[in-house]
Amino acid sequence: MSASTSASASTPAPTPAVSVLGLGMMGSALAAALLKAGYRTTVWNRSAAKTGPLVAQGALPADSAAAAVAASPLVIVCLTTYDNVHQVLDHADLTDLTDLPDLTGKTIVNVTNGTPAQAREFATAATQCGAAYIDGGIMAVPQMIGVPDSGAYILYSGDEQAYQTHRATLAAMAEPQWTGTDPGFAALQDVALLTGMYGMMIGTMQAFALVRSAGIPAEEFAERLAAWVGAMLASVPPDAAAIDAGEHLTDVSSLAVNQAAFPNLLRTYADQGLSTELFEPFQKLLDRAVAEGHASDGLSRLADLIQKP
Ligand SMILES: NC(=O)c1ccc[n+]([C@@H]2O[C@H](COP(=O)([O-])OP(=O)(O)OC[C@H]3O[C@@H](n4cnc5c(N)ncnc54)[C@H](OP(=O)(O)O)[C@@H]3O)[C@@H](O)[C@H]2O)c1
């Protein structure tokens, strides 16, 4: 190692500036993680009281959203909805491009939950204001943010050059995972991951309701349920391969077998006095799959049938 390399390795990195707009549960966690990592962090929240704990940790309070944006080249936005983001950043209807703020030289990282279409629309508007735009999807709860090895990560998409420039700063919040230059991709994959999560949760809530209806405590059943759901995850890679190949014929568990057995689930729920509303739509999809000639295919065929022509 040369002397100059050794010297630069031991010199502390300069403290880049970052602003965080929105200090709810998640925004506060993001700002705290940036402060902990040594970044000069300016914070703004609609209700000013929420800046207090972060200022106590060294954050700089901004009087307005505009002042927070002006304070740093990197601006992280974490509000409840995209409508809130529009209200805060635009002060105007986004379709009125004559009244947009000048964001020249800024990188906006918007980690507010939204749809791919909202992300793309906002990317266009931000770019027209002179900013580089990165959209983000947070795959964590606030308690996991800034905690090494917590499993937290944030999906990003949009301006790749800006992402590479700020990647180290973003890594202070949670592991950054790049999904592509289409600004909607982070939101799309966020929604896809949440879809898998909600599917699992819907099933576990129905299972708990069922065992409890027979007097079995949920906690007594939890270990068996978690092991079973975990074991079923082994079907994810082969299902993915079947879906990409368009080859759904199976010798494991056909749609015909599942269609025939599924009414037993619905009947059991009804017999035990439970609602069937969560699972009835799945019976309809199985019925359609068989009616359309896919009786010998595996469940992977359903991904095709869900797709509208
Ligand atoms: N919490 C989680 O576990 C989690 C996980 C992943 C993603 N997310 C996403 O992160 C985002 C923030 O979630 P959160 O948990 O931090 O929510 P939260 O605690 O309810 O905070 C909401 C934030 O949005 C601000 N806000 C709402 N409406 C506003 C408006 N019209 N103008 C200006 N500011 C407004 C609030 O300001 P005030 O304080 O003034 O009300 C607050 O700063 C959401 O999109 C959420 O889906 C959250």
Side-chain angles (χ1 to χ4, degrees):
M1 185 185 290
S2 71
S4 63
T5 311
S6 160
S8 67
S10 60
T11 307
T15 310
V18 53
S19 294
V20 178
L21 277 68
L23 303 175
M25 285 179 285
M26 185 53 84
S28 290
L30 299 175
L34 291 162
L35 283 166
K36 199 171 129 199
Y39 290 95
R40 184 179 187 276
T41 307
T42 299
V43 293
W44 175 85
N45 194 61
R46 177 181 60 175
S47 319
K50 285 188 188 164
T51 57
L54 290 157
V55 170
Q57 294 167 56
L60 305 166
D63 289 341
S64 65
V69 171
S72 313
L74 177 61
V75 179
I76 295 169
V77 186
C78 185
L79 306 177
T80 308
T81 65
Y82 269 72
D83 284 346
N84 305 150
V85 180
H86 286 308
Q87 284 162 16
V88 168
L89 285 185
D90 306 344
H91 313 291
D93 181 345
L94 253 199
T95 54
D96 179 6
L97 295 177
T98 58
D99 192 20
L100 288 172
D102 182 11
L103 299 175
T104 305
K106 304 289 178 187
T107 294
I108 306 288
V109 177
N110 182 20
V111 292
T112 301
N113 184 267
T115 70
Q118 286 175 318
R120 291 180 189 121
E121 180 205 32
F122 203 77
T124 302
T127 307
Q128 281 165 336
C129 296
Y133 183 77
I134 301 170
D135 201 81
I138 302 173
M139 307 313 299
V141 294
Q143 291 72 15
M144 296 162 75
I145 297 297
V147 178
D149 302 322
S150 68
Y153 63 93
I154 304 181
L155 302 169
Y156 293 105
S157 58
D159 188 319
E160 190 165 7
Q161 196 180 339
Y163 170 75
Q164 294 301 347
T165 301
H166 295 291
R167 193 183 180 287
T169 310
L170 300 175
M173 302 186 293
E175 184 201 331
Q177 294 191 7
W178 181 246
T179 61
T181 53
D182 179 334
F185 270 16
L188 186 88
Q189 295 194 31
D190 184 344
V191 170
L193 292 168
L194 293 178
T195 300
M197 180 194 78
Y198 283 123
M200 181 272 292
M201 284 179 166
I202 286 167
T204 54
M205 292 313 135
Q206 188 82 22
F208 280 138
L210 182 55
V211 294
R212 277 171 55 81
S213 74
I216 301 167
E219 280 189 306
E220 190 181 309
F221 190 65
E223 194 179 332
R224 181 169 286 157
L225 180 60
W228 171 252
V229 172
M232 290 301 99
L233 289 175
S235 69
V236 172
D239 278 349
I243 290 162
D244 283 345
E247 290 170 6
H248 299 288
L249 270 182
T250 183
D251 55 6
V252 178
S253 177
S254 70
L255 285 167
V257 164
N258 281 279
Q259 187 214 16
F262 207 77
N264 293 331
L265 275 70
L266 298 178
R267 254 180 247 131
T268 305
Y269 304 153
D271 290 348
Q272 293 294 124
L274 304 181
S275 163
T276 57
E277 65 199 324
L278 285 173
F279 281 78
E280 274 171 27
F282 192 62
Q283 180 74 61
K284 283 188 191 147
L285 189 59
L286 288 171
D287 292 345
R288 176 160 76 86
V290 172
E292 291 180 7
H294 305 298
S296 302
D297 287 349
L299 289 166
S300 60
R301 169 64 73 181
L302 299 180
D304 280 358
L305 295 183
I306 288 165
Q307 189 113 27
K308 287 187 180 167

